[in-house]
Amino acid sequence: MIFDLHSHTRCSDGSLEPLELVARAIDKGVDVLAITDHDTLDAYKGLSLQQGRLGLVAGIEFSTQWESTGIHVLGLNVDPASDAILAGVHYQTEARRQRAERIGEVLEKKGVPDAFAGAAALAHSGYIGRPHFAQYLVDIGRARSIEDAFRKYVGDGKAGDVRQHWADLPRVVQWIREAGGITVLAHPLKYKLTRTKLKRLLAAFMQAGGQGMEVVSGQQNPQQTAGMGQLCQQMNLLASCGSDFHRADTHWGELGKFPALPRNVTPVWERFS
Ligand code: AMP
Ligand code: MN
Ligand code: MN
Ligand code: MN
């Protein structure tokens, strides 16, 4: 069985419509897929959880921060109609809008004109994020590529990386748990923390009610998988895995294509009811 528990659609910053993503997942041999758009459940509107031979697990990827690090928390197997999670989505959507205005101001100071309006025009739903600012920077010739725009303007630690608007970690965890979901720290290796600091993050996450971590996120080498598996076991967390698919290009992993979970961990799906 292939479980891919992390993916995106056009409802946030992916390129495919929900049904196109489902079709691609089936084509790639995925058995169980979680669509986990950033701070929104829109993909599940009118989508039944059984799609031919593919099972869907309702999910979301919330943005928050811990100390000075921007982090992402997945909610898996949530009830997408729960009042708690809908209140969370509402809060984060408003936070995103305010943050986008702030990013616009910050970029203005860097000599980039009309970035908020430019990014908003590129967004096609409630989600407006750094990828839209990056695209705008490319379109007006201020960056050579999306990568270049992240490197210069909106990537982690750069001026446009505004994070103080998000709900805090305990609140995000609470929304997910009240919606009957399991909380998973997304892509722990992406935060580029030392192992000591990552352990502190995981301890704070668990203190807040966090239950699992992604042991496998897209392509990673065997040492990384073993290291994350060991950490997961040591911290007594559930283990998750996913591609974090956004679009079919080299920057993002393909649906269902990532290393298997190590044997010594408890897969998060054992707790799906
Ligand atoms: P936001 O939700 O506005 O914080 O934007 C974060 C999103 O930007 C991530 O989920 C990625 O999809 C995307 N992203 C982050 N870094 C890069 C990068 N270097 N190149 C392309 N996309 C990126
Ligand atoms: Mn993304
Ligand atoms: Mn993420
Ligand atoms: Mn993601």
Side-chain angles (χ1 to χ4, degrees):
M1 290 272 284
I2 298 181
F3 288 79
D4 187 338
L5 302 177
H6 190 155
S7 65
H8 296 270
T9 72
R10 266 170 82 92
C11 298
S12 65
D13 57 351
S15 67
L16 303 180
E17 295 293 346
L19 283 175
E20 291 173 334
L21 186 78
V22 161
R24 191 178 183 96
I26 292 171
D27 185 52
K28 300 295 174 187
V30 174
D31 298 288
V32 178
L33 177 74
I35 300 174
T36 53
D37 277 311
H38 298 287
D39 304 295
T40 179
L41 289 160
D42 281 357
Y44 294 94
K45 282 184 181 157
L47 201 62
S48 76
L49 293 182
Q50 196 61 44
Q51 296 284 334
R53 54 165 288 274
L54 181 80
L56 277 178
V57 169
I60 191 162
E61 182 174 18
F62 278 126
S63 312
T64 180
Q65 68 169 321
W66 169 76
E67 297 189 345
S68 59
T69 306
I71 62 166
H72 287 168
V73 174
L74 298 170
L76 298 178
N77 204 30
V78 298
D79 169 6
S82 124
D83 287 343
I85 206 131
L86 291 173
V89 166
H90 182 79
Y91 183 97
Q92 295 285 87
T93 303
E94 182 55 23
R96 258 191 193 281
R97 205 192 49 74
Q98 287 177 15
R99 167 191 189 245
E101 283 179 23
R102 181 76 196 125
I103 295 175
E105 289 166 13
V106 167
L107 292 179
E108 195 87 45
K109 288 205 187 98
K110 295 258 160 212
V112 179
D114 305 322
F116 173 70
L122 293 169
H124 26 65
S125 63
Y127 175 92
I128 170 168
R130 290 183 282 157
H132 300 118
F133 284 91
Q135 185 62 55
Y136 174 73
L137 287 158
V138 172
D139 292 349
I140 63 166
R142 294 296 291 259
R144 273 174 288 126
S145 61
I146 297 286
E147 276 299 326
D148 190 41
F150 269 90
R151 200 159 43 235
K152 288 185 183 145
Y153 294 98
V154 295
D156 293 348
K158 291 290 176 295
D161 176 25
V162 176
R163 8 182 149 95
Q164 56 269 42
H165 296 77
W166 306 129
D168 63 18
L169 177 58
R171 195 157 176 208
V172 162
V173 167
Q174 194 182 350
W175 291 331
I176 295 166
R177 296 205 57 171
E178 281 183 19
I182 296 190
T183 48
V184 169
L185 181 74
H187 43 63
L189 287 167
K190 269 207 182 160
Y191 312 124
K192 306 220 174 343
L193 303 173
T194 60
R195 196 49 61 94
T196 310
K197 198 161 178 192
L198 180 53
K199 278 190 192 161
R200 277 211 296 120
L201 163 57
L202 287 169
F205 177 61
M206 292 172 78
Q207 179 75 29
Q211 298 153 291
M213 63 181 270
E214 280 192 315
V215 167
V216 173
S217 173
Q219 285 310 323
Q220 55 186 43
N221 66 42
Q223 293 90 310
Q224 291 172 318
T225 305
M228 288 301 100
Q230 212 170 36
L231 190 57
C232 181
Q233 197 185 30
Q234 217 175 62
M235 302 295 288
N236 212 4
L237 284 159
L238 297 167
S240 192
C241 58
S243 59
D244 204 2
F245 178 86
H246 282 66
R247 64 193 67 247
D249 70 19
T250 48
H251 185 85
W252 298 107
E254 181 56 80
L255 288 164
K257 302 283 182 280
F258 44 80
L261 283 179
R263 266 184 236 280
N264 55 0
V265 295
T266 308
V268 66
W269 53 85
E270 289 188 4
R271 301 295 160 81
F272 292 167
S273 46

